Amino acid sequence: MSLLEVRNLKIYYKTPAGYVRAVDDVTFHVSKGEVFGIAGESGCGKSTLVHSLILRKPPMEHAGGEAVFKGRDLMKLSEEEARKIRYTELSIIPQYAMNALNPTKKIKDIVWDLAREHGHTNRSEVEKLLRERLAMVKLTPKVADMYPVELSGGMKQRATMVVSTLLNPDLLIADEITSALDVTTQRVVLELLHHFMEEGIVKSIIFVTHDLALLDKIADRIMILYAGKMAELGPTEEVINEPAHPYTQLLLNSLPRMGVQYKKQKLKGIPGYPISLLNPPKGCRFYTRCPYAMQQCKNEEPPLVKVGENHYAACHLLGGENQ
């Protein structure tokens, strides 16, 4: 059963030079009990997409499509309606989460402000829950009485995860939460996310990253974005082991592999630069960087093609049944 249904969503940024089409006609769903991964290089629209679901501020604008969450279109909610479900039904661990906590308040005061805003009146019960959740993420209860500046980077990350999930949201968005962490702490964070789902603290997760190796460890399905468009969507194992879109293939080839020395196999970068989304081309947006580009790619936008069971890619090179 789908918890979130996103259909033909368009999120643009209004600038003096025109509209930047950061997310342009993207469709996907997130099922209950699923970890849904979103990947792509910087500027592909990952963070814009997920932030549009929870908090849209100028110059970000909704330009079309819908995002139906538990029967309600998030694009049509008033600020008051959105505020009521934020952190209770739909929550986010923001990018740069280690700097997301108010440095002038203790952790317990940050949590109390959030809980009180959503109707909680018993501070002692809220602080008791906070200390239980801190213990769950291997932090001492004393952290509740500390300021963010007193915590290490890894401790701040875990404290932010506790704050974001304290009110048991149905859908948790994790936006690039491992990018500033060492590999050991990354593993801890991934294990905590799995633990939150196992304990029923959250029902589903959208995990956003540029690192496909991380998604291979945590996600059930992956969506690859490029220049605001969906390039590929499918089960994690298929997308990682049998990538259908040239962009996905190049992303995977750019990753280092354990046991493979540089002198034997050099890493391959993606040639060229991302296009401007102020005035994107009418054809495939990956055309200028694709090693297999044809004239058709320049002139026609590729359809989404079914390449396997629940596996789709948008590329003229692919045959098969259109979606």
Side-chain angles (χ1 to χ4, degrees), residues 105-114 123 127 130 144 147:
K105 291 187 176 183
K106 295 180 179 180
I107 302 299
K108 65 180 182 182
D109 295 325
I110 294 172
V111 165
W112 172 238
D113 287 346
L114 176 64
R123 178 159 185 162
E127 291 191 8
L130 169 61
Y147 291 94

Side-chain angles (χ1 to χ4, degrees), residues 55-79:
L55 182 62
R56 292 186 306 283
K57 291 183 177 180
M60 183 189 292
E61 292 187 6
H62 170 232
E66 59 184 8
V68 179
F69 174 67
K70 298 175 64 176
R72 293 164 293 182
D73 187 356
L74 297 173
M75 299 298 114
K76 295 180 179 179
L77 296 184
S78 66
E79 174 53 33

Side-chain angles (χ1 to χ4, degrees), residues 74-87:
L74 297 173
M75 299 298 114
K76 295 180 179 179
L77 296 184
S78 66
E79 174 53 33
E80 177 63 20
E81 291 170 327
R83 186 191 64 80
K84 287 181 180 179
I85 69 169
R86 198 177 298 142
Y87 295 107

Side-chain angles (χ1 to χ4, degrees), residues 186-216:
Q186 284 181 359
R187 177 180 175 180
V188 171
V189 167
L190 295 186
E191 290 175 347
L192 287 175
L193 289 177
H194 271 302
H195 187 60
F196 287 161
M197 290 192 66
E198 290 171 354
E199 294 296 318
I201 293 171
V202 299
K203 292 184 174 65
S204 302
I205 295 172
I206 297 177
F207 191 89
V208 179
T209 183
H210 61 276
D211 191 342
L212 283 170
L214 282 179
L215 289 183
D216 190 25

Side-chain angles (χ1 to χ4, degrees), residues 262-322:
Y262 177 78
K263 61 184 179 182
K264 293 183 178 179
Q265 182 178 334
K266 296 182 180 180
L267 294 178
K268 298 179 181 178
I270 302 176
Y273 299 93
I275 61 171
S276 168
L277 297 181
L278 267 172
N279 187 27
K282 61 181 179 180
C284 176
R285 293 189 178 181
F286 192 54
Y287 168 76
T288 58
R289 306 174 72 186
C290 181
Y292 312 109
M294 307 175 291
Q295 189 63 31
Q296 182 185 16
C297 306
K298 182 178 180 179
N299 299 323
E300 300 176 20
E301 184 174 340
L304 200 60
V305 174
K306 186 174 184 179
V307 294
E309 187 66 29
N310 298 316
H311 187 182
Y312 301 89
C315 181
H316 288 300
L317 292 171
L318 302 171
E321 176 187 348
N322 288 1

Side-chain angles (χ1 to χ4, degrees), residues 199-266:
E199 294 296 318
I201 293 171
V202 299
K203 292 184 174 65
S204 302
I205 295 172
I206 297 177
F207 191 89
V208 179
T209 183
H210 61 276
D211 191 342
L212 283 170
L214 282 179
L215 289 183
D216 190 25
K217 303 299 182 185
I218 190 172
D220 299 298
R221 289 186 302 128
I222 295 176
M223 177 172 67
I224 306 295
L225 288 182
Y226 181 77
K229 291 279 190 180
M230 184 170 71
E232 188 161 354
L233 171 69
T236 299
E237 186 174 354
E238 287 190 34
V239 173
I240 296 295
N241 297 320
E242 300 176 44
H245 197 283
Y247 178 58
T248 310
Q249 295 167 10
L250 290 170
L251 279 179
L252 288 166
N253 287 337
S254 70
L255 296 175
R257 299 179 183 178
M258 290 292 291
V260 178
Q261 295 183 354
Y262 177 78
K263 61 184 179 182
K264 293 183 178 179
Q265 182 178 334
K266 296 182 180 180

